[in-house]
Amino acid sequence: MPGITREEVAHLARLARLELRSEELDHFAGQLDDIIGAVARVSEVADQDVPPTSHPLPLTNVMRADEVRPSLTPEQALSGAPAQEQQRFKVPQILGED
């Protein structure tokens, strides 16, 4: 497989709106070659009997089940509020909207 050229790196940089110096084009061409080579090696290892996965370990939901539990009443929650209206905290208007 032919390597990534400076021109291809420059094209990718233009698409990404990146300004790269001449020495950076050579440097990134080498790095992109290494990355593409690593991906190709992984592709060779993967076999048809190995299902694609998004994570190497099985994930399970560790959240507890929702349970109704005692909580504050609206009056208790608003008891320390400096201002309230219709069982809500009343705050100063900031956007000039009604």
Side-chain angles (χ1 to χ4, degrees), residues 53-85:
T53 60
S54 63
H55 198 274
L57 302 173
L59 298 176
T60 56
N61 189 350
V62 295
M63 296 170 57
R64 65 173 171 77
D66 287 337
E67 297 174 8
V68 177
R69 296 165 59 178
S71 61
L72 298 176
T73 65
E75 292 78 23
Q76 291 170 322
L78 294 168
S79 65
Q84 55 181 294
E85 185 177 289

Side-chain angles (χ1 to χ4, degrees), residues 15-93:
L15 292 174
R17 300 189 191 281
L18 298 173
E19 186 175 335
L20 299 178
R21 297 184 309 267
S22 179
E23 62 272 6
E24 290 176 313
L25 293 174
D26 293 326
H27 179 72
F28 289 135
Q31 286 186 337
L32 286 171
D33 256 351
D34 292 342
I35 292 169
I36 290 172
V39 171
R41 281 192 300 280
V42 169
S43 297
E44 291 170 3
V45 172
D47 202 4
Q48 292 183 6
D49 62 335
V50 179
T53 60
S54 63
H55 198 274
L57 302 173
L59 298 176
T60 56
N61 189 350
V62 295
M63 296 170 57
R64 65 173 171 77
D66 287 337
E67 297 174 8
V68 177
R69 296 165 59 178
S71 61
L72 298 176
T73 65
E75 292 78 23
Q76 291 170 322
L78 294 168
S79 65
Q84 55 181 294
E85 185 177 289
Q86 297 177 352
Q87 290 191 337
R88 299 181 185 147
F89 293 101
K90 184 174 180 180
V91 296
Q93 185 175 350

